[in-house]
Amino acid sequence: MRRTMKQFGVLSVLMALAGVAHGAGPQAEVIHWWTSGGESAAVRTFSEAYTAAGGVWVDTAIAVGEQARSVAVNRIVGGTPPAAAQFNTTKQFLDLVEQGMLNNMDDVAAKQGWDKVLPEPVLNVVRVKGHFYAAPVDIHMPTWFWYSKAAFKRAGIANEPKSVDELFAALDKLRAAGLIPLAHGGQPWQESIVFTAMLANVGGSELYLKVLRDRDAKAIQSPAFKEVLLAYKRLQGYVDKGAPGRNWNDATALLITGKAGVQIIGDWAKGEFSTAKQVPERDYGCIPGFGPKSPYIIQGDAFVFPKTSNAETVKAQKLLAEVMLTPATQVAFSNHKGSIPVRMDVDVSKMDACAQKGLAIMKDKSRQLGNGEVYLNPDQNGALSDVLTAYWNRNIPVEKVQKDIAAALSN
């Protein structure tokens, strides 16, 4: 059932009053977009931990990140904010910071030593002008290459691809076997992920930074970047006709059922495999990148805390931030979500094989890169996404795409 922004606000107030009437602890309405099977299991670890700490979790789940963020911003601007709202660990919430619409979590950050336990690319986002305006809760790497062991066996692929060339060879064999070579959800944000995977693995870290961080026009017009774009477009030839508009988890389901061979998506896909009782390295394979220098792109989720002077809500916000970054909660959440903990000081020895691969790379700081949205403002990111989606879905000369990307990133 759809609710208007006003109805959401009224609902929160009623639930808050109900909590007070029953003598409940700090009440926190949390807006988030975790609605798939694996995501729902993950967010329950937060709600259960918050409840165990004496709080009352009020869940407002809104499918699709863009819609959830839109509701959160409208609620904040409209004067009926939740206690916390999910954003990605990017510049998405910078406008709210600059307009003075968020409470900082400096007390919690100092108590837990965030400046010592969080990776630099994450700190650079959540700490603005010396204040911590968001609680980061996980690290996702968006450009994992997942593959179905059953599909590979059926296609006669004996060995895991160790290069982009070997990946294309595997996709050819999958197609020859009558399978969907590349399971893809045809949505702009997913096409951006496929592009990022090619930029990181075909172009490498230096070109990645020149294009996304420096927005270097010469690098964007270079033959090396042209090769990245050609590899990206080549992948489009391996998707099925049902790809346009498909959700990411439905694409993952094609791997789970052995109908497709490969998917390029973030490690949140692992939550879907886990829900289906599939085990990494037994039922599916996971490749974080090709080669010993392949970068680990840091993406993730964070919660912001809308400005309020209500003492009980502030108490709820601080308890929520503290609970979310408690070591035990971090591990429990990541095991369901498919992510790795955002804290670098927790015991991760019992995490799965794919997580261990990611954690091993994270130890090498030279391989840590921020996601593109860390370097680009929302307008630049949106313009780049438009160019990439048009190129993916239409026949456009690669040279024009290079010019269009240069223009998109110059603003």
Side-chain angles (χ1 to χ4, degrees):
M1 180 175 71
R2 297 185 78 173
R3 292 189 175 98
T4 65
M5 307 301 167
K6 188 173 180 181
Q7 285 172 321
F8 271 123
V10 171
L11 185 64
S12 327
V13 171
L14 289 173
M15 286 190 284
L17 289 173
V20 170
H22 288 86
Q27 181 104 15
E29 185 202 357
V30 184
I31 290 179
H32 64 87
W33 59 76
W34 288 324
T35 57
S36 77
E39 291 172 334
S40 296
V43 78
R44 275 197 301 275
T45 64
F46 280 154
S47 66
E48 289 167 2
Y50 187 66
T51 301
V56 177
W57 175 287
V58 179
D59 199 82
T60 301
I62 301 168
V64 185
E66 188 175 358
Q67 178 65 17
R69 290 192 297 273
S70 177
V71 169
V73 170
N74 285 332
R75 291 268 309 272
I76 293 167
V77 173
T80 58
Q86 181 187 1
F87 282 75
N88 290 121
T89 315
T90 66
K91 293 184 178 182
Q92 287 171 350
F93 54 86
L94 189 57
D95 280 351
L96 294 174
V97 173
E98 291 174 344
Q99 292 173 40
M101 292 185 172
L102 299 181
N103 282 336
N104 70 61
M105 291 293 113
D106 291 352
D107 293 351
V108 180
K111 181 180 179 181
Q112 295 187 326
W114 290 5
D115 59 336
K116 298 179 183 67
V117 301
L118 300 180
E120 198 65 30
V122 173
L123 278 173
N124 290 341
V125 174
V126 301
R127 185 172 56 193
V128 182
K129 295 181 180 178
H131 296 286
F132 290 88
Y133 286 102
V137 296
D138 57 17
I139 290 175
H140 275 301
M141 211 281 282
T143 59
W144 283 81
F145 298 81
W146 307 94
Y147 65 91
S148 161
K149 294 271 189 177
F152 268 39
K153 185 176 181 180
R154 183 174 160 188
I157 304 167
N159 299 312
E160 182 175 281
K162 291 182 171 56
S163 67
V164 174
D165 286 341
E166 289 185 16
L167 171 67
F168 281 117
L171 293 172
D172 286 334
K173 287 184 177 180
L174 289 160
R175 179 159 55 194
L179 297 164
I180 298 170
L182 183 64
H184 180 63
Q187 297 169 336
W189 70 272
Q190 296 188 65
E191 275 133 33
S192 293
I193 283 177
V194 175
F195 162 76
T196 302
M198 292 300 99
L199 180 55
N201 286 279
V202 176
S205 296
E206 186 177 349
L207 183 63
Y208 181 98
L209 290 171
K210 282 185 177 179
V211 171
L212 297 178
R213 183 191 64 190
D214 304 335
R215 303 186 294 284
D216 185 325
K218 187 176 179 181
I220 294 169
Q221 299 289 355
S222 69
F225 188 59
K226 182 178 181 179
E227 289 303 311
V228 168
L229 290 171
L230 289 172
Y232 166 70
K233 181 64 176 180
R234 184 178 173 187
L235 285 169
Q236 198 271 341
Y238 294 98
V239 306
D240 65 304
K241 291 181 180 179
R246 179 186 286 146
N247 289 325
W248 69 267
N249 51 310
D250 294 326
T252 307
L254 293 172
L255 266 69
I256 290 170
T257 56
K259 295 175 183 176
V262 176
Q263 183 183 16
I264 303 170
I265 199 72
D267 39 19
W268 50 87
K270 209 167 12 139
E272 301 305 298
F273 288 114
S274 297
T275 301
K277 308 299 182 187
Q278 293 205 349
V279 177
E281 307 295 20
R282 185 192 74 186
D283 303 302
Y284 65 94
C286 50
I287 306 170
F290 300 108
K293 293 184 178 180
S294 63
Y296 200 80
I297 297 166
I298 296 176
Q299 187 177 10
D301 303 284
F303 283 85
V304 301
F305 305 92
K307 195 82 171 178
T308 177
S309 56
N310 183 294
E312 278 301 302
T313 304
V314 172
K315 183 179 177 182
Q317 290 174 332
K318 291 184 177 182
L319 180 62
L320 192 61
E322 185 173 346
V323 165
M324 285 176 165
L325 273 91
T326 299
T329 309
Q330 280 275 296
V331 173
F333 174 83
S334 285
N335 278 336
H336 284 293
K337 188 67 165 58
S339 55
I340 59 175
V342 74
R343 294 181 61 138
M344 294 291 98
D345 64 336
V346 301
D347 180 4
V348 293
S349 59
K350 294 181 180 178
M351 296 192 74
D352 66 66
C354 298
Q356 296 297 342
K357 288 183 182 181
L359 289 159
I361 297 174
M362 279 292 293
K363 289 178 182 177
D364 183 351
K365 291 185 179 181
S366 71
R367 295 175 70 180
Q368 296 178 8
L369 287 180
N371 183 41
E373 291 181 69
V374 169
Y375 306 116
L376 304 175
N377 65 43
D379 288 343
Q380 291 165 334
N381 190 65
L384 174 61
S385 177
D386 289 345
V387 174
L388 294 172
T389 293
Y391 181 45
W392 181 266
N393 290 291
R394 292 161 46 200
N395 291 321
I396 303 174
V398 68
E399 293 81 7
K400 182 180 187 319
V401 177
Q402 286 176 278
K403 290 178 182 177
D404 289 346
I405 289 176
L409 299 187
S410 65
N411 298 323

